[in-house]
Amino acid sequence: MTGKNTSMENINLPASKSIGARFLVATYFAGTLPADPYFDDSEDLMVLQQALLDIYSDEEPIDYGESPIDVNASGTAYRFVTAVCASSPGADFVVTGIPRLLSRPIRPLTDLLKQAGAKIQPLGKDGDGPLRITGTKITGGYFSIRGDISSQFISAVMLVAPYWTNGVHLEFTTPLVSKPYLEMTAGLMKKFGIPVTLNDKFVEVSPGNYIEPENFSVEADWSAASFFYEACALSGKIMKINNLVPPQDSLQGDSVAASRFGMLGIKSDFNDKYVTIERTDEGEKNVECDFTNCPDLVLPFAVTCLFSEVKFRFSGVKNLRLKESDRLESLRKESEKFGYIIKIGEDSIEWKGERRDGDSDIVVDTYGDHRVAMSFAMVAFKTGSIRIANPSVVEKSFVRFWEELPKIGLDVELGDKEARVVVK
């Protein structure tokens, strides 16, 4: 059942996970870190806030000895907490998480922090976590780092560098990827009074003090919005999403979702309180895109293309192998259940229109990955219903995701092991 509907309730999104994480670190150093849960719509942000509270008290850093700070599955928290811990004099603790997280790359960050004067001892194999960290006053100075690693490594260093003796001057030895995330970090730091110089060759942060600005608010999450753009494309329904900052004013690189989905015929009409999105035409039938700067949009955009019969080739996707799941392989496996044959290259993924008969009685595996679950949930608009395994994974970034779906015409039967999404 599809069709336009102008009477639906407006969709509420979680706060931007990326901006929220940077905000929490900035308030930690400003001495204004909230004691009560500040973001109750993202498990990752709740984990990060609690970890920062564990490190810091109103009086002085807490000595935890070998008591662990457990960031669970949050890659953002793992990287940011590592840098914060290392930069908090007097603290002594272990940062840990689930095995999948501890196997994800961390050495580019820990190696740089140790060069700058941090005291970090990896307790896993080959430099993996858990990490034993003794906080100290870090000297900082001039260093270099690859630009094509996770932008979170660089953002983590940027965020703590104002509290290093000499700040940091960080040269990029290869071209930057995900530059919008570094621009987001720099933009937030500037709002908190920290001068930052960022260009394609280096980033420089001088010593300084964070001061929380009055009336600062964290934007709604553009990454989460992309799933409703997907729903609009697959259903043809008009939808309204609250509190999305227009791309030209947003700190989020993922605000490019508006133009990407515009290629598929989705029009965005912004006003002060919400954006109205609707499918105005069929859009392009063969799409080529570079996702280097917006990798979190790959899954919802790819699933939209597949179920709209739009051929595609995406580049700039190699780092998706290192997310909560290997997202390229997750996408390939789950799409093949529906009969779509996707080809994966070293840094590309494409669908040339190749099909086979789909499986019967499909349950979408989610591989512990929130974006897999949310991307495939919207396929119900094309299949009438869909079953999603391990539905609680969405809580990582969007605790109330399943509660929003009835607003767009989808019923959800939610169980512990499986969600069944049905078109009303």
Side-chain angles (χ1 to χ4, degrees):
M1 179 187 300
T2 60
K4 296 190 175 182
N5 183 343
T6 58
S7 62
M8 281 188 270
E9 295 180 67
N10 288 17
I11 298 155
N12 294 312
L13 301 175
S16 164
K17 188 160 73 81
S18 297
I19 298 176
R22 289 154 175 80
F23 167 81
L24 289 172
V25 173
T27 58
Y28 168 89
F29 284 114
T32 57
L33 177 67
D36 296 324
Y38 195 83
F39 301 102
D40 64 357
D41 45 12
S42 167
E43 190 175 78
D44 270 12
L45 293 181
M46 289 187 281
V47 165
L48 174 57
Q49 182 181 355
Q50 186 57 55
L52 294 173
L53 287 169
D54 286 346
I55 301 167
Y56 181 77
S57 74
D58 291 337
E59 309 302 328
E60 59 186 5
I62 301 170
D63 184 351
Y64 271 82
E66 294 191 11
S67 298
I69 293 176
D70 190 345
V71 297
N72 196 4
S74 176
T76 304
Y78 188 34
R79 292 153 181 173
F80 286 8
V81 167
T82 293
V84 171
C85 290
S87 305
S88 298
D92 184 10
F93 39 80
V94 173
V95 179
T96 189
I98 66 170
R100 166 74 184 178
L101 176 70
L102 297 181
S103 69
R104 291 170 66 180
I106 192 70
R107 283 195 61 180
L109 174 60
T110 55
D111 285 351
L112 192 151
L113 290 172
K114 288 191 285 186
Q115 289 178 47
K119 298 178 180 179
I120 301 174
Q121 178 188 358
L123 303 179
K125 295 180 180 179
D126 301 321
D128 291 344
L131 303 173
R132 174 72 184 271
I133 303 175
T134 302
T136 187
K137 183 64 176 177
I138 294 180
T139 303
Y142 281 70
F143 307 97
S144 62
I145 195 169
R146 294 179 62 91
D148 57 353
I149 58 169
S150 169
S151 62
Q152 287 184 0
F153 296 152
I154 301 170
S155 287
V157 171
M158 291 170 64
L159 286 164
V160 300
Y163 286 81
W164 294 1
T165 302
N166 298 318
V168 74
H169 180 102
L170 198 55
E171 295 279 347
F172 306 131
T173 60
T174 58
L176 284 175
V177 300
S178 301
K179 185 180 178 183
Y181 286 98
L182 301 185
E183 293 172 334
M184 175 195 297
T185 305
L188 182 136
M189 292 174 69
K190 289 174 183 177
K191 289 181 182 294
F192 276 73
I194 303 296
V196 180
T197 301
L198 172 68
N199 56 43
D200 289 337
K201 294 182 178 180
F202 68 88
V203 61
E204 186 169 86
V205 181
S206 299
N209 294 302
Y210 284 93
I211 300 173
E212 184 173 354
E214 294 184 5
N215 302 319
F216 180 84
S217 61
V218 177
E219 301 175 22
D221 190 70
W222 264 103
S223 303
S226 67
F227 303 111
F228 295 95
Y229 272 81
E230 174 191 355
C232 176
L234 296 181
S235 69
K237 294 173 180 279
I238 296 173
M239 299 182 186
K240 295 180 180 180
I241 307 174
N242 287 334
N243 300 321
L244 265 184
V245 174
Q248 66 271 20
D249 300 320
S250 176
L251 289 174
Q252 299 174 71
D254 282 350
S255 63
V256 73
S259 59
R260 289 292 166 91
F261 280 91
M263 299 169 69
L264 303 181
I266 306 302
K267 177 185 176 183
S268 303
D269 185 13
F270 291 88
N271 66 31
D272 291 341
K273 295 183 179 180
Y274 58 84
V275 58
T276 301
I277 58 175
E278 62 178 308
R279 193 177 69 200
T280 58
D281 57 52
E282 293 301 317
E284 301 179 23
K285 288 301 180 184
N286 200 323
V287 173
E288 290 196 17
C289 293
D290 183 348
F291 281 88
T292 299
N293 290 327
C294 52
D296 284 344
L297 299 183
V298 169
L299 287 183
F301 196 71
V303 173
T304 304
C305 288
L306 289 174
F307 286 87
S308 303
E309 302 296 325
V310 175
K311 299 174 184 177
F312 65 82
R313 186 180 189 280
F314 302 155
S315 58
V317 299
K318 62 183 179 182
N319 284 345
L320 289 175
R321 294 186 175 91
L322 304 174
K323 299 294 185 178
E324 284 79 358
S325 71
D326 178 340
R327 286 185 179 157
L328 300 183
E329 189 63 15
S330 298
L331 176 63
R332 186 194 67 77
K333 286 181 177 179
E334 298 314 299
S335 298
E336 190 168 354
K337 292 179 180 179
F338 294 90
Y340 297 96
I341 310 301
I342 291 176
K343 303 295 184 185
I344 299 175
E346 181 180 350
D347 192 29
S348 65
I349 188 167
E350 63 181 329
W351 182 61
K352 296 181 178 181
E354 187 177 354
R355 295 289 304 273
R356 67 163 179 80
D357 290 338
D359 297 344
S360 59
D361 197 26
I362 295 171
V363 178
V364 174
D365 292 324
T366 50
Y367 309 95
D369 195 323
H370 53 137
R371 299 198 191 280
V372 175
M374 292 186 282
S375 295
F376 278 94
M378 303 308 185
V379 172
F381 282 120
K382 288 296 187 179
T383 60
S385 67
I386 193 166
R387 295 159 63 196
I388 308 291
N390 193 16
S392 64
V393 295
V394 304
E395 295 174 7
K396 182 176 177 65
S397 62
F398 197 163
V399 168
R400 289 183 281 274
F401 173 75
W402 301 114
E403 298 173 25
E404 295 297 312
L405 297 195
K407 296 180 179 180
I408 62 173
L410 296 173
D411 280 330
V412 181
E413 301 170 10
L414 195 60
D416 291 338
K417 295 183 178 180
E418 183 178 296
R420 183 168 182 261
V421 184
V422 183
V423 178
K424 292 182 180 180

